[in-house]
Structure formats: C-alpha cells, structure tokens
Amino acid sequence: GTDTLAKLSLLPSDIIIDNQIWKIRDQVRIKFDNNRTLIEGFELSSDKQLIAVNGSISSAEADQLKIVIGDLKMTSLSQLTKGFGVNLNGTMNGTANLSALLGTPKIQSDVTIDSLKYNQTDIGDLKIASTYNNFTSKIDVDAIIFKNGGKTMDVKGNVDLKSDQNNLDLNVILDKTELILFEPFVKTLVSKLKGQISTDLKVTGKF
C-alpha cells in the first residue's frame, strides 16, 4: 500500500499563560500514519506543574490517548474562571484515558483537587471519577468531597447528553456542605451564599 507516514518534531519553547512561563519539553514527536496520529513525549510544565499527553488518536478502540495532570495549581485556570466571578485555589492531579476519539469515543478520568477553595471558602478535597461512552451518550459520575476527616458531599449517577427529556439522574448526599458551591446554579436568584447544608437529594431533569 501507499506509505502515508509523516513525522513532526516540536522544538523546546516557552508559553506564557496568566503571567506564568510554561515550557514544552524537547523530543516531542507527532506521527501521522493513515488515519492514526501518534503523540510521544508531549509535556507542558511550569515549575512542578505538569500536563503530559501520550498515545494515539484514531477510530480504533485499542488506540488510547493518555493525559496526565500533575500538581496543577487551580489559580493557573483563572483566565477561564474569573469571567464567571469564580476564583479557585487548590492543587489538581489526575489522569484521563481517551479511546477511539475519531470513532465511537470512550473517556475515563480520575481527578483529585486537594485543599480546594472556592472564592476563598474552604471546600475540602475533591475526588471525581467519570466515564463517558458514546454508545450510551451518558457520563457516569462519582464525586466525593472530604473535609476535616469526614465526607461532606457524595454524588453518584449519570448525565445523559442525548436525552431531550431528562438529562440528569444523580443521587446527592450533602453533610455540612458549603453552600457557596451551589451559587452558580442560583446566582440569578441569590448571591453571596454562606453557610452549610445537610440533606439527601435526587436530582433529575433537563439542563
């Protein structure tokens, strides 16, 4: 058959994001082979912060792209959040595995945010595991917040991206959860929420 292999190498370079210098490491290799893209050794770093990408992009389920996030300061995302009136603090670590991105994609991710602060309010340590499967068009979610040695929030269920009737099917347990977390959802009604809430909820409906 015809050889369609092409290779691209990225030179070391610096990127400035929100007044931080991020470096792209040397020896990054990107290969294009028929309908498959292979990425090797992509790393974007700033001090101890790291975003790494390795793997393959294609329509085949066996081809996976892995993204690793290490010690990412939430303040580094301020350009994305400040327009919504949100200031985040904390440190993010996690991985995401993406397969068959050009076909029927499946995405699995595990993320933790330690010492999360939302607009200067201490939230706790957040752990989120999620899976997206294009066969069902649903995102399975399992999210937990720990604070002062106890579990203050537990969310389990799924989000249906295709349904036009009922997208949400979530079981939510709140135990002294900081109210400010819900401010984005009710900001047209109230603002500057303070205090804590404890309750069990079944969340359904359309978003």
Side-chain angles (χ1 to χ4, degrees):
T2 303
D3 185 2
T4 59
L5 178 64
K7 298 180 181 180
L8 174 67
S9 297
L10 298 183
L11 297 175
S13 57
D14 293 348
I15 300 174
I16 298 177
I17 303 175
D18 197 24
N19 296 318
Q20 296 183 66
I21 297 176
W22 289 78
K23 296 181 178 296
I24 298 178
R25 62 161 287 186
D26 57 357
Q27 298 181 341
V28 179
R29 301 289 183 265
I30 301 175
K31 301 177 182 178
F32 305 95
D33 186 7
N34 292 321
N35 295 317
R36 184 170 178 260
T37 301
L38 179 65
I39 301 174
E40 297 178 343
F42 178 87
E43 290 186 2
L44 183 65
S45 62
S46 178
D47 292 328
K48 294 182 178 180
Q49 301 180 90
L50 172 68
I51 299 173
V53 181
N54 287 279
S56 301
I57 300 172
S58 78
S59 59
E61 187 174 349
D63 282 334
Q64 290 194 350
L65 188 71
K66 184 172 184 179
I67 301 172
V68 176
I69 297 174
D71 291 329
L72 179 65
K73 303 301 181 186
M74 298 303 295
T75 51
S76 297
L77 305 178
S78 62
Q79 293 295 327
L80 300 176
T81 63
K82 67 181 182 181
F84 300 97
V86 174
N87 291 305
L88 298 175
N89 285 273
T91 304
M92 178 190 294
N93 289 276
T95 60
N97 291 288
L98 304 83
S99 61
L101 282 177
L102 302 182
T104 303
K106 185 174 182 179
I107 302 170
Q108 293 178 305
S109 66
D110 289 281
V111 174
T112 64
I113 303 176
D114 296 326
S115 304
L116 176 62
K117 285 187 178 183
Y118 182 108
N119 289 354
Q120 306 308 312
T121 298
D122 290 322
I123 302 300
D125 298 330
L126 172 65
K127 300 180 184 298
I128 303 176
S130 62
T131 301
Y132 170 71
N133 193 324
N134 198 35
F135 284 112
T136 62
S137 296
K138 290 183 179 180
I139 302 173
D140 295 321
V141 178
D142 188 345
I144 300 172
I145 293 177
F146 292 96
K147 184 179 181 182
N148 298 328
K151 187 187 298 184
T152 63
M153 188 178 79
D154 191 339
V155 179
K156 289 182 173 62
N158 63 72
V159 179
D160 190 337
L161 299 181
K162 272 193 175 179
S163 175
D164 57 3
Q165 298 294 326
N166 190 10
N167 303 104
L168 302 173
D169 184 11
L170 301 170
N171 294 303
V172 181
I173 300 174
L174 306 176
D175 184 8
K176 298 179 181 178
T177 307
E178 298 295 338
L179 272 171
I180 195 171
L181 280 176
F182 305 97
E183 190 171 73
F185 306 103
V186 296
K187 63 182 179 180
T188 58
L189 302 174
V190 294
S191 61
K192 297 182 180 180
L193 285 175
K194 293 183 178 181
Q196 299 174 331
I197 183 172
S198 298
T199 189
D200 294 354
L201 300 171
K202 176 71 172 180
V203 179
T204 61
K206 184 173 174 59
F207 59 77

